[in-house]
Amino acid sequence: MKAQQWLAGMGQFRLSATTTSVACLWLIALYLVLWGTGLAAPPPADPSLESIAILLWIAFTGVALSIVLWNTAASLIGVPLASIYMNLQPFVAAITAAALGSPPTVIQLLGGLVVLTGILYVQLSKMNLRLGRRHV
């Protein structure tokens, strides 16, 4: 991730705010173009309180918090290893959905097993390399 290199002197919160702000400007410009050409619907005139609450929840936990945590992890353990653990996101989402009353499907469980197996394989390979072994 080039932002980690280009903006190395910034703290993780400031780095996250900077990269997110630039992305938001591009997304707003894209939305205005799509809206102007009729390819995107205009925003609702009077959104419900529930819609606003859901939007704020997603914006904070699904975007802001995850970006700060990603940048922090990338700076602490490096982008390649942080990327491996980012693959756990669907697995965590399935567990969260199950906790909220929507059990995962068989395909989701199998996908989670594949992801966990891959992460375990990479971690065991790294551990073996540190111990001087060549194969898992």
Side-chain angles (χ1 to χ4, degrees):
M1 191 163 133
K2 291 293 183 187
Q4 288 288 334
Q5 295 170 351
W6 294 337
L7 307 171
M10 293 184 173
Q12 295 310 310
F13 184 77
R14 190 169 165 208
L15 172 68
S16 299
T18 301
T19 55
T20 303
S21 297
V22 171
C24 284
L25 292 174
W26 280 105
L27 287 174
I28 290 169
L30 176 63
Y31 172 73
L32 291 174
V33 168
L34 292 174
W35 183 22
T37 60
L39 295 173
D46 190 21
S48 69
L49 187 59
E50 181 183 16
S51 295
I52 294 170
I54 290 170
L55 178 65
L56 291 175
W57 173 256
I58 292 170
F60 178 73
T61 60
V63 179
L65 184 61
S66 64
I67 290 172
V68 171
L69 292 174
W70 162 257
N71 284 324
T72 302
S75 71
L76 293 174
I77 63 175
V79 173
L81 188 56
S83 297
I84 291 170
Y85 283 101
M86 192 169 67
N87 290 323
L88 285 173
Q89 184 179 9
F91 186 72
V92 172
I95 292 172
T96 303
L100 295 174
S102 180
T105 64
V106 172
I107 296 295
Q108 289 171 328
L109 291 173
L110 291 173
L113 183 62
V114 168
V115 169
L116 289 175
T117 303
I119 291 171
L120 183 62
Y121 175 77
V122 169
Q123 289 302 311
L124 288 175
S125 296
K126 285 185 175 219
M127 188 172 64
N128 284 333
L129 285 175
R130 278 187 233 133
L131 295 174
R133 299 180 198 148
R134 290 188 171 206
H135 301 291
V136 176

